[in-house]
Amino acid sequence: MIQDHEFISFKEVPGPTKEEIRCLLLCKSEVSNEDIVVDIGCGTGGITTDFAKVAKKVISIDKNPNAIELTSKNIKKHGVFENVDLIENDAISALKSIENFDIVIIGGSGGDLDEILELVFSKLNKNGRIIVTGILIETKYVAIKKLKSLGLEPKVVEVTISRGNSIGLGTMMLAENPIAIISSKIK
Amino acid sequence: MIQDHEFISFKEVPGPTKEEIRCLLLCKSEVSNEDIVVDIGCGTGGITTDFAKVAKKVISIDKNPNAIELTSKNIKKHGVFENVDLIENDAISALKSIENFDIVIIGGSGGDLDEILELVFSKLNKNGRIIVTGILIETKYVAIKKLKSLGLEPKVVEVTISRGNSIGLGTMMLAENPIAIISSKIK
Amino acid sequence: MIQDHEFISFKEVPGPTKEEIRCLLLCKSEVSNEDIVVDIGCGTGGITTDFAKVAKKVISIDKNPNAIELTSKNIKKHGVFENVDLIENDAISALKSIENFDIVIIGGSGGDLDEILELVFSKLNKNGRIIVTGILIETKYVAIKKLKSLGLEPKVVEVTISRGNSIGLGTMMLAENPIAIISSKIK
Amino acid sequence: MIQDHEFISFKEVPGPTKEEIRCLLLCKSEVSNEDIVVDIGCGTGGITTDFAKVAKKVISIDKNPNAIELTSKNIKKHGVFENVDLIENDAISALKSIENFDIVIIGGSGGDLDEILELVFSKLNKNGRIIVTGILIETKYVAIKKLKSLGLEPKVVEVTISRGNSIGLGTMMLAENPIAIISSKIK
């Protein structure tokens, strides 16, 4: 895995999604080289970069132009720009312009999660996978409720990571903020 | 409980021990108004302040003069200075000057945990309680091993707290670093 | 604190609330001997027992007759039955029969959390405190949303405890399920 | 990823290592199809199975004949038996019989972690990776100390996973026990 510090970052753009979470997203999504992946709220581009190494194509969306610029820098830095499309737009508008896809990772929804999930559900290919990452209690609630109302059975894991920091006297554990991964597969 | 921001703090002095941990230390120690308490590595004075509200007497030790000054300020701010003795010295030297006591809270040991625990064990009253808080893997290991070698049965809990932070879109959970509470009672 | 195994328990009744969580509830509620406390969904009676040791009076409500019987046994076992009233009823009906109170701990709501919080809010004394414990994502969401809509500023902490279990080779950490404590104070 | 319930399990054999941890081990080890992997304490065979899907060869060691039988069943069930060698022996003896390798995953050490790490260190190829998983405080301490004494810089992460369980009223989070992943790369 690319380590967190190997991504270029801007102060005003969130991310990158921590190494361990990116790793779990790769596993949970079961991404293969036949998959078209949509990354909603690509931020620093950590998820885009990792998925672009495996997937057929990644379409990355962010309404923040700084995020798009940063993702562009990071995919170039890590040599995976050829199969990435960047769209600077809000998620709803951007999704309307996309035909269909196999996997969607929703990291940022700007309050439109309900509508995004409906739209995503209508455009996913057979065996499509929807993954929502949530750091807000409200995101977890809305994602679970909406996915259930779409007839899916969301699987929820909450992940808390602490990292050892070697200080003079020993190894101090420093906590990362907890993050939920909510995943569904369309049958 | 006094909230964390209600303590005066200096950048170079660790603490205060988070509200929830101070609360658990009060419970685990079963402190009453008959107890003499020793707080080793008093830092900001959070634990000293809380225990001084309940205990007969608190003896607070820190080798860092800034910590002693800060603890002094905080016990005054919270009106509990009358039953607190402050000792600016390393733990070993300070403990040698103390007769006996009922409860010891060891938050900072500067690498001398083994020797501190031996000394503490020899000075504790009947029904005495030893509580070690550890943020280092090494502290946990040494405390458990030494307490067992003294014939005690240490109880270990590791506590991870996340706090909700109300941001525009919802409630974001921010993690505090994990901390272990290792407690033993002399029978 | 009373340890978890010191409570009588029935398999079909949840609880007791773990020692560390009961400890935090005592601290967060700032309970004193002048307070009337309502415990909604008293289950095994762990919270009732701890609060009855400090409060003026505890009114404990559960619609499950087994829970009421079990709480009755536990308050007797721990000698705090004199200032406890037990009500076998659903929370809404029971609350309607109570005049006013200072603290409410809501551990079980059976899906009526919105209505319970409204009713509780109308009956709390000045400086009253509302505390909701949640193990469901949905409970956390509903509690935060409703408390905000009542003009309160809920504080949220999520607590994860692991306990050391001494096995042959060392100390294995066993996790308890995470629990959220959502607390509000009426000004 | 193979889900935990897709492994055959015996009550008396620990494992399988949880899905999310197996996923993180694949990422942290940077396993490729050129790597020879040694799995010490293979237990149920979860790690062996996942690594055998990617690696050139996996050598799996356990002194418990039930574990070897179970791992054998699981690699067959998941179709990856061709590149797996099973050794029923203690780790020290088994390692002595192996030439060299690229990655070692140490999940069970039976108290011999120090000696195992020394032996492993002497047999690893250039760019070799050592990964220790620890559920005991003692394992974490010994692994970190020994790896440092071998001149390595161990990276430590502690992972706590909770899983959502859909019950009538909502989504209850159930905690898995915390586990540390301690990884080192030989330069």
Side-chain angles (χ1 to χ4, degrees):
Chain A
M1 294 292 293
I2 303 170
Q3 288 182 39
D4 298 346
H5 70 264
E6 295 175 305
F7 288 101
I8 303 159
S9 62
F10 293 169
K11 247 198 171 157
E12 68 274 27
V13 177
T17 301
K18 302 292 178 194
E19 176 194 334
E20 287 81 7
I21 305 303
R22 285 184 281 118
C23 167
L24 289 169
L25 293 176
L26 290 170
C27 292
K28 298 276 180 193
S29 68
E30 298 174 22
V31 60
S32 81
N33 59 12
E34 295 179 0
D35 289 318
I36 298 174
V37 179
V38 174
D39 179 7
I40 297 181
C42 57
T44 297
I47 290 168
T48 290
T49 304
D50 274 341
F51 277 79
K53 289 189 168 183
V54 185
K56 187 175 170 187
K57 188 178 175 180
V58 179
I59 303 164
S60 302
I61 302 167
D62 210 299
K63 64 182 173 189
N64 180 350
N66 292 325
I68 293 295
E69 187 194 335
L70 189 52
T71 297
S72 175
K73 281 183 194 290
N74 276 313
I75 55 178
K76 279 171 198 152
K77 176 174 178 185
H78 294 287
V80 289
F81 52 92
E82 283 186 0
N83 60 339
V84 179
D85 286 356
L86 298 175
I87 305 180
E88 182 191 321
N89 209 337
D90 67 277
I92 305 285
S93 305
L95 280 166
K96 284 181 179 160
S97 72
I98 303 173
E99 283 297 308
N100 54 4
F101 44 89
D102 302 286
I103 295 171
V104 62
I105 313 287
I106 306 175
S109 60
D112 297 324
L113 187 52
D114 257 331
E115 201 177 341
I116 291 172
L117 285 171
E118 270 177 44
L119 203 47
V120 148
F121 184 69
S122 72
K123 298 215 164 197
L124 270 172
N125 291 334
K126 211 188 147 194
N127 293 321
R129 287 138 275 166
I130 302 174
I131 300 186
V132 181
T133 60
I135 54 171
L136 305 181
I137 289 176
E138 290 76 7
T139 302
K140 299 177 211 171
Y141 174 84
V142 171
I144 292 169
K145 193 174 172 187
K146 189 68 188 180
L147 289 166
K148 281 186 176 172
S149 83
L150 292 168
L152 301 172
E153 292 175 4
K155 291 189 180 171
V156 185
V157 294
E158 185 133 312
V159 183
T160 309
I161 300 277
S162 301
R163 271 167 216 284
N165 192 23
S166 197
I167 62 171
L169 291 164
T171 310
M172 186 178 166
M173 300 309 293
L174 302 177
E176 302 289 348
N177 295 328
I179 187 164
I181 303 174
I182 299 156
S183 50
S184 283
K185 193 169 183 172
I186 295 171
K187 284 160 199 170
Chain B
M1 293 294 290
I2 303 170
Q3 289 181 37
D4 298 346
H5 70 265
E6 295 174 306
F7 288 101
I8 303 160
S9 61
F10 293 168
K11 247 197 170 157
E12 68 274 28
V13 177
T17 302
K18 301 292 178 195
E19 177 195 334
E20 287 81 8
I21 305 303
R22 287 183 279 119
C23 168
L24 290 168
L25 294 176
L26 290 170
C27 293
K28 298 274 180 194
S29 67
E30 297 175 23
V31 60
S32 81
N33 59 13
E34 295 178 359
D35 289 319
I36 297 174
V37 179
V38 173
D39 179 10
I40 297 181
C42 57
T44 297
I47 290 167
T48 290
T49 304
D50 275 340
F51 276 80
K53 288 190 167 184
V54 184
K56 189 174 170 186
K57 189 178 173 180
V58 179
I59 302 163
S60 302
I61 301 166
D62 209 299
K63 64 180 173 190
N64 179 350
N66 292 326
I68 293 296
E69 187 194 336
L70 188 52
T71 297
S72 175
K73 282 183 195 289
N74 275 314
I75 56 178
K76 279 172 197 151
K77 177 175 178 185
H78 294 287
V80 290
F81 52 90
E82 284 185 0
N83 60 339
V84 178
D85 287 356
L86 298 175
I87 304 181
E88 183 191 320
N89 208 338
D90 67 277
I92 305 284
S93 307
L95 279 166
K96 284 181 180 161
S97 72
I98 303 173
E99 284 297 309
N100 55 3
F101 44 88
D102 302 285
I103 294 171
V104 61
I105 312 286
I106 306 174
S109 60
D112 297 324
L113 187 52
D114 258 331
E115 201 178 342
I116 291 172
L117 285 171
E118 270 178 43
L119 202 48
V120 148
F121 185 69
S122 72
K123 298 217 163 197
L124 269 172
N125 291 333
K126 211 188 146 194
N127 293 321
R129 287 138 275 165
I130 302 173
I131 300 186
V132 180
T133 60
I135 54 171
L136 304 182
I137 288 175
E138 289 77 6
T139 302
K140 300 177 212 174
Y141 174 83
V142 172
I144 292 169
K145 193 174 174 188
K146 188 67 189 179
L147 289 167
K148 282 185 175 172
S149 83
L150 292 168
L152 302 172
E153 293 174 5
K155 290 188 179 172
V156 185
V157 294
E158 183 134 311
V159 183
T160 309
I161 299 277
S162 302
R163 273 166 213 284
N165 191 23
S166 197
I167 61 170
L169 291 164
T171 310
M172 186 178 166
M173 300 310 293
L174 302 177
E176 303 289 348
N177 295 329
I179 186 164
I181 302 174
I182 298 155
S183 50
S184 283
K185 193 170 182 171
I186 296 171
K187 282 162 199 170
Chain C
M1 293 294 292
I2 303 168
Q3 288 181 38
D4 298 346
H5 70 265
E6 296 174 306
F7 288 100
I8 304 159
S9 62
F10 292 169
K11 247 198 170 157
E12 69 274 27
V13 177
T17 301
K18 302 293 179 196
E19 178 196 332
E20 287 81 8
I21 306 302
R22 286 184 279 118
C23 168
L24 289 170
L25 293 177
L26 290 170
C27 293
K28 298 273 180 194
S29 68
E30 298 174 22
V31 61
S32 81
N33 60 12
E34 294 178 1
D35 289 319
I36 298 174
V37 178
V38 173
D39 179 9
I40 296 181
C42 58
T44 297
I47 290 168
T48 290
T49 304
D50 275 340
F51 276 80
K53 289 190 167 184
V54 183
K56 188 174 172 187
K57 189 177 174 179
V58 179
I59 302 164
S60 302
I61 301 166
D62 211 300
K63 64 182 173 189
N64 179 351
N66 291 327
I68 293 296
E69 187 194 335
L70 189 51
T71 296
S72 175
K73 281 182 194 292
N74 277 313
I75 56 177
K76 278 171 197 151
K77 177 175 178 185
H78 295 286
V80 290
F81 51 91
E82 283 185 1
N83 60 339
V84 178
D85 286 357
L86 298 174
I87 303 180
E88 182 191 323
N89 209 337
D90 67 277
I92 305 285
S93 305
L95 280 166
K96 284 181 179 160
S97 73
I98 303 173
E99 283 297 309
N100 53 6
F101 44 88
D102 302 286
I103 295 171
V104 61
I105 312 288
I106 306 174
S109 61
D112 297 324
L113 187 52
D114 258 329
E115 201 178 342
I116 290 172
L117 285 171
E118 271 177 43
L119 203 48
V120 148
F121 185 68
S122 72
K123 298 215 164 198
L124 269 172
N125 290 334
K126 211 190 145 192
N127 294 320
R129 287 138 274 164
I130 302 174
I131 300 186
V132 181
T133 60
I135 53 172
L136 304 182
I137 288 176
E138 290 76 7
T139 302
K140 298 178 212 172
Y141 174 83
V142 171
I144 292 169
K145 193 174 173 188
K146 189 67 188 180
L147 289 167
K148 282 186 176 174
S149 82
L150 291 168
L152 302 172
E153 293 174 4
K155 291 189 180 171
V156 185
V157 293
E158 185 133 310
V159 184
T160 309
I161 300 278
S162 301
R163 273 166 214 286
N165 192 23
S166 196
I167 63 171
L169 291 164
T171 310
M172 186 179 166
M173 300 309 293
L174 302 176
E176 303 289 349
N177 296 328
I179 186 165
I181 303 175
I182 298 156
S183 51
S184 285
K185 193 169 183 173
I186 296 172
K187 285 160 198 170
Chain D
M1 293 293 292
I2 303 170
Q3 288 182 38
D4 298 345
H5 70 265
E6 295 174 306
F7 287 101
I8 302 160
S9 62
F10 292 169
K11 246 197 171 159
E12 68 274 27
V13 177
T17 302
K18 301 293 178 195
E19 177 196 333
E20 287 82 7
I21 305 303
R22 286 183 279 118
C23 168
L24 289 169
L25 294 176
L26 290 170
C27 293
K28 298 274 181 195
S29 68
E30 298 174 21
V31 59
S32 81
N33 60 11
E34 294 177 1
D35 290 318
I36 297 175
V37 179
V38 173
D39 179 9
I40 296 181
C42 58
T44 297
I47 290 167
T48 290
T49 304
D50 275 340
F51 276 81
K53 289 189 167 184
V54 184
K56 186 174 171 187
K57 189 178 175 180
V58 179
I59 302 164
S60 302
I61 301 166
D62 210 299
K63 65 182 172 189
N64 179 350
N66 291 326
I68 293 295
E69 188 194 336
L70 189 51
T71 296
S72 175
K73 282 183 194 290
N74 276 313
I75 55 176
K76 278 170 198 153
K77 178 174 177 185
H78 295 285
V80 289
F81 52 91
E82 284 186 0
N83 59 340
V84 178
D85 285 357
L86 298 174
I87 304 180
E88 184 191 320
N89 209 337
D90 67 277
I92 305 285
S93 307
L95 280 166
K96 285 181 179 160
S97 72
I98 302 173
E99 283 297 309
N100 54 4
F101 43 89
D102 302 284
I103 295 171
V104 62
I105 312 287
I106 306 175
S109 59
D112 297 324
L113 187 51
D114 258 331
E115 201 178 341
I116 291 172
L117 285 171
E118 270 177 43
L119 203 49
V120 148
F121 185 69
S122 72
K123 298 215 163 197
L124 269 171
N125 291 334
K126 209 189 148 195
N127 293 321
R129 287 139 274 166
I130 302 174
I131 300 185
V132 180
T133 61
I135 55 172
L136 304 181
I137 288 175
E138 291 76 5
T139 303
K140 298 177 213 174
Y141 174 84
V142 172
I144 292 168
K145 194 175 172 188
K146 189 67 190 179
L147 289 167
K148 281 185 176 172
S149 83
L150 291 169
L152 302 172
E153 293 174 6
K155 290 188 181 172
V156 185
V157 294
E158 184 134 309
V159 183
T160 309
I161 299 277
S162 301
R163 271 166 215 285
N165 192 22
S166 196
I167 62 170
L169 291 164
T171 310
M172 187 178 166
M173 299 309 294
L174 302 176
E176 303 290 349
N177 295 330
I179 187 164
I181 302 174
I182 298 155
S183 50
S184 284
K185 193 170 183 171
I186 296 171
K187 283 160 199 170

